[in-house]
């Protein structure tokens, strides 16, 4: 005998809730109480109910997809953010499509294509270098910025970038460092500017000098951190500690200075930003500023689902706290150690 195909009514009856609650649990699980969500999921498992996503999307005139645009898919920083996005979008029956904004000659043209192609119900941008003008495209789907942002009123999820840089400086100054340098991100990048502002404020708060020759430009990559290390080694008068605006740059920096015979942290202290997975596997382990990347992805997905549900283009933003992680790459400078 053929088994009866379970319906949404069967799920509602088994869970002891209304069919509207079942539907809401499937489409917007974040707005449903945990106990109710668990009851509905258990009822789905018990009844064998299967969602016909294609039919549902046709009824709602939706694609059932969200596109996330990343500036560099090879960067390990984005892995946890993508995992956070998926953890919210998948239960809501949305597929996640990932594209690299820098894979072609014109990133703005790629963004314009995704805004007008009808391939997705919404976009999440992780690249703040794109032009805000493109976002004025008529009839575009909802867009949420995450990590980086641009000069627009888009809903966004960011972290306390300036505060994180201040925390790095405060830690190094607290260890006794009076000569602190900085390796920035690429010129014109909003994260570069914000973290440099925090670095400058942190120095001023401690009464320490900002020396332009101790501020080196990078681009968030390991290669640029290595280049900064070579510039550092050429200095006649070096800072005793550096705050680098990304962990990847810190990794590249440490590799070059250690290969040249300098010890971290005995000869130079190093602090990064991001807390990528590699940070705790270096020798010494990297002191850094932790961005809660999974939470960034979750928040961005939740904001976007809210926009899609209400057919809105504007909405709230979220600013997430950072956390200082003290490890082995930062220690008192030699002068302070000798005093002990």
């Amino acid at each position: 005998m053929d088994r009866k195909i379970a319906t949404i009514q069967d799920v509602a009856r088994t869970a002891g809730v209304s069919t509207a609650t079942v539907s809401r649990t499937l489409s917007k699980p974040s707005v449903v109480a945990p106990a109710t969500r668990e009851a509905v999921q258990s009822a789905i498992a018990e009844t064998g109910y299967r969602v016909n996503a294609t039919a549902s999307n046709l009824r709602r005139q939706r694609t059932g997809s969200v596109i996330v645009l990343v500036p560099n898919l090879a960067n390990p920083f984005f892995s946890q953010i993508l995992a956070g996005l998926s953890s919210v979008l998948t239960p809501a029956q949305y597929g996640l499509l990932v594209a690299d904004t820098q894979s072609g000659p014109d990133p703005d043209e790629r963004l314009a294509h995704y805004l007008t192609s009808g391939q997705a119900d919404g976009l999440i941008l992780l690249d703040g270098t794109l032009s805000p003008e493109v976002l004025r495209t008529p009839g575009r789907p909802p867009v949420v910025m995450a990590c980086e942002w641009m000069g627009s009123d888009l809903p966004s999820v960011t972290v306390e970038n300036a505060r994180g840089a201040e925390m790095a400086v405060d830690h190094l100054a607290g260890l006794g460092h009076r000569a602190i340098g900085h390796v920035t991100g690429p010129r014109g990048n909003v994260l570069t500017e914000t973290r440099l502002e925090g670095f400058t404020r942190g120095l001023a708060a401690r009464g320490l000098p900002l020396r332009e020759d101790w501020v080196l430009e990078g681009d968030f990559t390991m290669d640029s951190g290595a280049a900064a290390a070579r510039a550092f080694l050429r200095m006649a008068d070096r800072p005793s500690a550096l705050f680098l605006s990304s962990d990847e740059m810190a990794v590249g920096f440490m590799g070059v200075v250690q290969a040249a015979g300098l010890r971290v942290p005995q000869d130079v202290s190093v602090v990064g930003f991001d807390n990528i997975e590699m940070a705790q596997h270096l020798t010494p382990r990297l002191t850094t500023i932790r961005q809660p990347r999974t939470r960034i992805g979750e928040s961005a997905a939740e904001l976007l689902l809210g926009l899609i549900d209400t057919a809105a283009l504007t909405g709230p933003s979220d600013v997430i706290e950072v956390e200082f992680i003290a490890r082995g790459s930062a220690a008192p400078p030699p002068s302070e150690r000798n005093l002990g």
Side-chain angles (χ1 to χ4, degrees):
M1 179 181 292
D2 292 338
R3 183 182 177 185
K4 176 187 174 185
I5 297 176
T7 66
I8 194 171
Q9 288 80 10
D10 295 326
V11 175
R13 186 164 48 252
T14 302
V17 299
S18 67
T19 56
T21 297
V22 176
S23 178
R24 189 159 51 247
T25 302
L26 293 172
S27 62
K28 293 195 302 176
S30 61
V31 304
V32 178
T36 302
R37 189 163 61 237
E38 183 177 341
V40 171
Q41 293 296 342
S42 296
I44 290 173
E46 181 179 338
T47 60
Y49 177 68
R50 294 290 181 269
V51 178
N52 188 334
T54 301
S56 176
N57 289 329
L58 285 172
R59 285 195 301 271
R60 297 183 297 168
Q61 295 186 321
R62 293 179 182 174
T63 66
S65 297
V66 166
I67 294 175
V68 55
L69 297 178
V70 179
N72 179 8
L73 281 173
N75 190 334
F77 170 78
F78 297 111
S79 60
Q80 287 187 12
I81 295 177
L82 294 175
L85 290 169
S86 181
S87 71
V88 173
L89 294 173
T90 299
Q93 306 298 315
Y94 278 91
L96 183 62
L97 309 176
V98 183
D100 194 327
T101 58
Q102 305 301 319
S103 63
D106 191 338
D108 287 338
E109 187 175 295
R110 286 177 63 78
L111 173 57
H113 165 72
Y114 288 121
L115 289 173
T116 58
S117 66
Q119 296 180 51
D121 298 316
L123 279 77
I124 295 174
L125 303 185
L126 303 182
D127 187 348
T129 65
L130 303 173
S131 172
E133 295 298 320
V134 181
L135 296 170
R136 295 195 173 93
T137 302
R140 70 164 174 82
V143 176
V144 171
M145 291 290 304
C147 298
E148 300 186 19
W149 62 99
M150 58 181 75
S152 67
D153 59 354
L154 286 178
S156 63
V157 180
T158 58
V159 302
E160 299 175 319
N161 288 282
R163 174 61 184 146
E166 291 182 66
M167 292 166 73
V169 173
D170 191 62
H171 179 74
L172 291 170
L175 291 173
H177 291 277
R178 297 294 176 265
I180 304 175
H182 180 40
V183 181
T184 74
R187 191 171 304 176
N189 181 279
V190 66
L191 299 180
T192 298
E193 296 170 354
T194 308
R195 292 173 191 173
L196 178 58
E197 289 172 7
F199 173 76
T200 303
R201 284 204 304 265
L203 291 178
R206 286 283 190 161
L208 301 178
L210 172 64
R211 286 190 37 174
E212 295 297 333
D213 57 328
W214 288 349
V215 178
L216 305 172
E217 183 177 339
D219 62 8
F220 296 138
T221 65
M222 289 187 201
D223 285 344
S224 69
R230 289 189 287 270
F232 170 82
L233 292 170
R234 291 192 296 269
M235 293 179 182
D237 180 22
R238 300 171 184 161
S240 62
L242 281 100
F243 162 57
L244 295 97
S245 199
S246 79
D247 284 352
E248 280 210 64
M249 291 196 297
V251 170
F253 180 91
M254 287 173 60
V256 169
V257 296
Q258 288 172 323
L262 295 186
R263 299 165 301 165
V264 178
Q266 292 89 342
D267 298 316
V268 58
S269 285
V270 176
V271 177
F273 198 114
D274 290 332
N275 195 39
I276 61 175
E277 286 78 1
M278 194 185 308
Q280 60 181 324
H281 298 290
L282 301 175
T283 303
R285 297 192 305 156
L286 181 63
T287 295
T288 188
I289 307 299
R290 175 181 174 266
Q291 296 197 58
R293 290 176 287 144
T294 301
R295 180 57 197 147
I296 291 171
E298 293 170 346
S299 180
E302 289 164 358
L303 288 180
L304 185 63
L305 290 179
L307 297 178
I308 293 172
D309 188 58
T310 58
L313 296 181
T314 60
S317 291
D318 189 11
V319 179
I320 300 175
E321 293 182 357
V322 294
E323 178 187 2
F324 185 83
I325 306 291
R327 296 194 179 107
S329 66
S335 59
E336 293 292 317
R337 290 199 297 272
N338 292 339
L339 289 175

